[in-house]
């Protein structure tokens, strides 16, 4: 996978060391073991990947769709065979629990399975006799060379929201993983190689800003999928669009859950604790704020505080562990600073997870689950994405006030409601301004055959990842109007 512990690029079917002048350490966030070094590849290596991808395009595009999906079927089987190994790699470089890593890879595989339906999903339309003797056809053709720029928190899954669809639709592809977690994608690329994609069809370039900028500016790259923080999503969206590319850019989140007094409190507590503290809160669908309504306040506050305090924190490879570390020491300091800011703005820390000692992993980037109660809705902490295991509690008297509070937020990635009332659920579903909505569900993650539908500051673009949206994003429509007068044909 690596040469002397250095992560490689994969260009034109070959593993290649980068000519980068700068490298970063890839560190296990729980044990602090140095896992590898990752190159920050220069623009010239993106240019090379784009060149070979453009060269591979005509042959791949003209390979019939039923043949194009054969390597994807092989990839699905290879991912199953290597499921445990890749899941362990995710835990080692990213910190999440092994169960969470397995869940992530399950969704990755599901996207490959859905993309195998491309021969039918990318069919066009045909209307006979739009005027006498004239027919009209809509064809879906690939866009060209496409690329994904991925974040650190789902190294295995996120490239699969896009890549299988792009390849199945006849595009060629470049993956730029997060420089903090490049090892999972190294393993995935060994499987892509084994699956038998022709040289140049799928390529890997490691790096950070310079690498991304080269992708945004390269004229052969026609479509870009980005997932990461809102500030970078906006930058990628505006620079990529200004260069005439299709861009879909998924940004950050601040996900609220509303808890009505008629909710099943035992189930609600369990589900919301999993949502807030799963993946150590480093999930774009993590519950970040709970808004209790009326009498829900006291029962829920007590129950969620107990659940937070009871959560088992440690190294994710240990099966008993329910929550791993956050990604870096800097991230941990930032999160602890935000907890203090919440206190300065009037909140009280009813469960304090700062600066814990985790036996055997004293130098890991751990924070235990933390609960901030009575968070000031006007304060910064109510609006800022914390991206750590910190759950903020707010309280209102009616569902209308709760929905208003949710809709005031800048982000729109996810919102959830916990209730036993059908009318309340319907009202919420109808009025809430978020693209992924949960009713008695804490992580409303769409299956691979539904679009991952962030709204507002959580998404820039039109078509989302996964399912039919991905097929639309990775194809361009061509409409043909045809007339064949009888007198031009000897047969009629
Ligand atoms: P990030 O924005 O720091 O990095 C994402 C990617 O952008 C990386 O590949 C990185 O190399 C690149 N990048 C970073 N800074 C850049 C710059 N200045 N110019 C060009 N490229 C740059 O995000 P992250 O910390 O890796 O991931 C966490 C963020 O991702 C959170 O905000 C989270 O909410 C978000 N996220 C969103 C979704 C979603 O579906 N909306 C899913 C997962 C994560």
């Amino acid at each position: 996978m690596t040469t002397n512990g250095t992560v490689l690029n994969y260009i034109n079917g070959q593993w290649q060391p980068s000519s980068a002048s700068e490298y970063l350490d890839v560190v296990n966030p729980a044990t602090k073991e140095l896992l590898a070094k990752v190159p920050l590849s220069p623009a010239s290596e993106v240019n090379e990947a784009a060149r070979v991808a453009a060269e591979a395009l005509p042959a791949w595009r003209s390979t019939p769709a039923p043949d194009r999906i054969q390597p994807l079927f092989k990839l699905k089987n290879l991912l199953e065979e290597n499921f445990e190994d890749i899941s362990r790699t995710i835990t080692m470089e990213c910190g999440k629990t092994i169960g969470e890593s397995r869940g992530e890879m399950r969704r990755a595989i599901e996207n490959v399975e859905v993309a195998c339906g491309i021969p039918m999903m990318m069919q066009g339309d045909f209307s006979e006799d739009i005027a006498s003797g004239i027919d009209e056809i809509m064809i879906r053709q690939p866009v060209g060379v496409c690329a994904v720029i991925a974040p650190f928190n789902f190294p295995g899954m996120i490239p699969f929201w896009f890549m299988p669809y792009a390849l199945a639709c006849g595009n060629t592809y470049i993956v730029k993983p997060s420089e903090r977690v490049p090892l999972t994608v190294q393993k995935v690329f060994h499987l892509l190689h084994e699956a038998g994609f022709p040289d140049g069809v799928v390529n890997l370039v490691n790096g950070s800003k310079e690498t991304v900028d080269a992708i945004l500016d390269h004229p052969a790259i026609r479509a870009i999928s980005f997932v990461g923080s809102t500030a970078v999503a906006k930058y990628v969206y505006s620079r990529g669009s200004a260069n005439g590319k299709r861009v879909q850019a998924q940004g950050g989140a601040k996900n609220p859950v509303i808890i009505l007094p008629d909710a099943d409190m035992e189930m609600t507590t369990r589900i919301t604790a999993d949502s807030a503290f799963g993946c150590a809160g480093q999930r774009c669908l993590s519950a970040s704020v709970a808004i209790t309504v009326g009498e829900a306040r006291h029962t829920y506050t007590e129950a969620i505080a107990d659940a937070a305090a009871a959560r088992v924190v440690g190294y994710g490879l240990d099966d008993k562990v329910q929550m791993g570390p956050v990604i870096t020491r800097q991230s941990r300091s930032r999160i602890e600073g935000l907890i203090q800011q919440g206190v300065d703005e009037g909140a009280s820390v009813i469960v304090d997870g700062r600066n814990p000692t985790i036996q055997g992993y004293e130098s890991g980037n751990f924070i235990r689950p933390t609960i901030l109660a009575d968070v000031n809705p006007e304060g910064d902490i109510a609006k800022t994405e914390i991206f750590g295991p910190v759950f903020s509690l707010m309280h209102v008297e009616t569902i209308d006030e709760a929905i208003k509070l949710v809709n005031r937020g800048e982000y729109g990635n996810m919102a959830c409601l916990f209730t036993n009332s059908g009318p309340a659920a319907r009202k919420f579903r109808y009025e809430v301004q978020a693209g992924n909505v949960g009713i008695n569900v804490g992580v409303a993650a769409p299956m691979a055959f539904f679009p991952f539908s962030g709204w507002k500051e959580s998404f820039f673009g039109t078509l989302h990842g996964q399912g039919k949206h991905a097929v639309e994003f990775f194809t361009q429509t061509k409409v043909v109007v045809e007339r064949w007068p009888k007198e031009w044909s000897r047969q009629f």
Side-chain angles (χ1 to χ4, degrees), residues 21-181:
S21 53
E22 210 184 323
Y23 289 77
L24 298 180
D25 289 346
V26 183
V27 177
N28 181 321
T31 64
K32 287 314 188 70
E33 180 195 354
L34 177 66
L35 300 173
K37 285 190 173 288
V38 62
L40 303 188
S41 302
S44 57
E45 284 161 12
V46 170
N47 297 348
E48 177 61 5
R51 188 184 66 74
V52 303
E55 273 176 21
L57 187 65
W60 183 241
R61 180 238 149 142
S62 58
T63 302
D67 295 341
R68 283 202 305 261
I69 59 171
Q70 296 312 314
L72 285 175
F73 279 114
K74 283 197 194 130
L75 180 64
K76 135 94 185 157
N77 291 330
L78 289 165
L79 288 166
E80 296 287 5
E81 284 162 27
N82 292 275
F83 188 83
E84 215 39 43
D85 179 45
I86 298 182
S87 301
R88 286 176 70 84
T89 305
I90 295 174
T91 293
M92 285 193 280
E93 68 176 350
C94 183
K96 63 180 65 172
T97 67
I98 187 68
E100 290 164 346
S101 299
R102 290 181 187 130
E104 162 169 4
M105 283 318 294
R106 192 45 59 203
R107 180 56 47 81
I109 292 172
E110 196 185 282
N111 273 287
V112 177
E113 291 164 351
V114 173
C116 285
I118 280 294
M120 199 159 180
M121 283 199 294
M122 77 178 287
Q123 280 177 339
D125 297 327
F126 188 104
S127 292
E128 203 173 43
D129 285 332
I130 51 144
S132 185
I134 302 180
D135 305 329
E136 190 158 331
I137 308 165
M138 190 277 281
I139 303 164
R140 289 195 174 279
Q141 297 189 337
V143 174
V145 181
C146 306
V148 60
I149 300 158
F152 81 82
N153 64 329
F154 281 88
M157 176 182 73
I158 284 177
F160 283 91
W161 283 350
F162 314 102
M163 177 177 65
Y165 304 94
L167 294 173
C169 288
N171 301 280
T172 54
Y173 212 63
I174 300 171
V175 177
K176 205 300 281 173
S178 166
E179 63 276 27
R180 285 184 272 180
V181 290

Side-chain angles (χ1 to χ4, degrees), residues 202-432:
V202 58
N203 305 279
L204 163 65
V205 185
N206 290 282
S208 61
K209 182 166 172 50
E210 183 183 342
T211 324
V212 170
D213 286 349
I215 291 173
L216 297 177
D217 293 343
H218 198 291
I221 299 175
R222 302 311 308 147
I224 294 175
S225 306
F226 171 88
V227 181
S229 57
T230 289
V232 184
K234 276 185 177 165
Y235 167 74
V236 165
Y237 184 73
S238 53
R239 186 156 166 175
S241 307
N243 284 329
K245 303 176 196 309
R246 289 186 178 194
V247 186
Q248 47 182 193
Q250 302 186 202
K254 180 83 184 175
N255 303 308
V257 299
I258 298 177
I259 295 149
L260 298 189
D262 67 357
D264 173 337
M265 279 305 158
E266 190 278 322
M267 178 191 81
T268 302
T269 306
R270 189 165 32 81
I271 291 178
T272 54
D274 283 345
S275 176
F277 306 126
C279 298
Q282 299 172 116
R283 180 159 56 183
C284 66
L285 296 180
S286 289
S288 178
V289 180
I291 305 169
T292 49
V293 175
E295 288 159 18
R297 179 181 200 161
H298 297 294
T299 27
Y300 181 73
T301 304
E302 213 170 285
I304 194 70
D306 289 346
R311 210 150 184 97
V312 181
V313 179
Y315 186 22
L317 285 184
D318 176 347
D319 267 329
K320 293 184 290 299
V321 161
Q322 296 172 303
M323 195 181 98
V326 296
I327 189 73
T328 56
R329 211 64 186 173
Q330 296 88 310
S331 191
R332 175 179 133 151
S333 307
R334 187 185 54 79
I335 294 163
E336 291 188 341
L338 286 166
I339 295 170
Q340 187 54 48
Q341 187 182 336
V343 173
D344 296 344
E345 290 175 359
S348 45
V349 192
I350 60 170
V351 180
D352 191 348
R354 286 173 286 187
N355 204 15
T357 302
I358 306 295
Q359 233 183 355
Y361 302 102
E362 285 76 4
S363 59
N365 311 323
F366 290 97
I367 308 183
R368 282 187 187 278
T370 296
I371 297 204
L372 288 172
D374 301 317
V375 165
N376 175 2
E378 304 306 325
D380 277 351
I381 206 71
K383 300 170 191 149
T384 307
E385 179 178 39
I386 299 176
F387 222 56
V390 181
F391 203 24
S392 298
L393 307 186
M394 294 188 213
H395 181 71
V396 294
E397 289 306 326
T398 65
I399 184 171
D400 287 295
E401 286 172 81
I403 294 176
K404 212 166 156 187
L405 202 51
V406 168
N407 288 349
R408 263 180 30 184
E410 285 176 14
Y411 297 102
N413 218 32
M414 182 187 81
C416 301
L417 177 73
F418 287 83
T419 184
N420 258 328
S421 157
R426 207 243 172 213
K427 174 186 172 67
F428 178 75
R429 188 182 76 197
Y430 193 82
E431 294 180 9
V432 76

